Amino acid sequence: MKISPKYKFREIAGEVIAVNQGTSNIDMTQIISLNSSAYVLYKEFADKKFTTQDVIDSLIRIYNITPVEATLGAQTWVDSMIKCHIIEE
């Protein structure tokens, strides 16, 4: 998997939102925002290919959580980012 280079994240009014670079017709009814841990993962994997296991390992390392918690969090993050077309498989 990899994060689509079309998306960049910007902080606006205290929220981190996705910006689809090069799109002139933006649908503002579908704003994608990230919480702080989702943004940490975005920054961790923005410029490289990765697997769900890589995300799990990063969550364990960064947040010192159990493998079970990390697996649940990683799968939730990956699924959400794929659904929004931010992660390409």
Side-chain angles (χ1 to χ4, degrees):
M1 293 180 274
K2 67 178 184 168
I3 294 177
S4 172
K6 291 188 259 182
Y7 289 92
K8 300 296 178 200
F9 285 82
R10 303 286 184 253
E11 187 172 335
I12 299 175
E15 296 286 327
V16 178
I17 64 165
V19 177
N20 189 343
Q21 305 270 17
T23 301
S24 59
N25 298 330
I26 298 173
D27 181 358
M28 294 303 285
T29 65
Q30 297 182 348
I31 293 175
I32 301 166
S33 67
L34 298 181
N35 65 24
S36 60
S37 58
Y39 187 51
V40 165
L41 291 173
Y42 165 77
K43 291 189 295 186
E44 179 90 1
F45 297 107
D47 297 321
K48 55 187 165 188
K49 290 186 178 187
F50 60 93
T51 65
T52 301
Q53 186 61 51
D54 295 328
V55 178
I56 292 167
D57 294 342
S58 289
L59 287 171
I60 292 169
R61 177 179 46 78
I62 294 167
Y63 295 106
N64 195 29
I65 59 176
T66 68
V68 171
E69 293 170 311
T71 300
L72 179 61
Q75 195 59 61
T76 299
W77 181 76
V78 167
D79 290 346
S80 296
M81 298 290 271
I82 289 172
K83 183 177 177 182
C84 295
H85 306 288
I86 294 173
I87 289 180
E88 302 171 341
E89 294 186 80

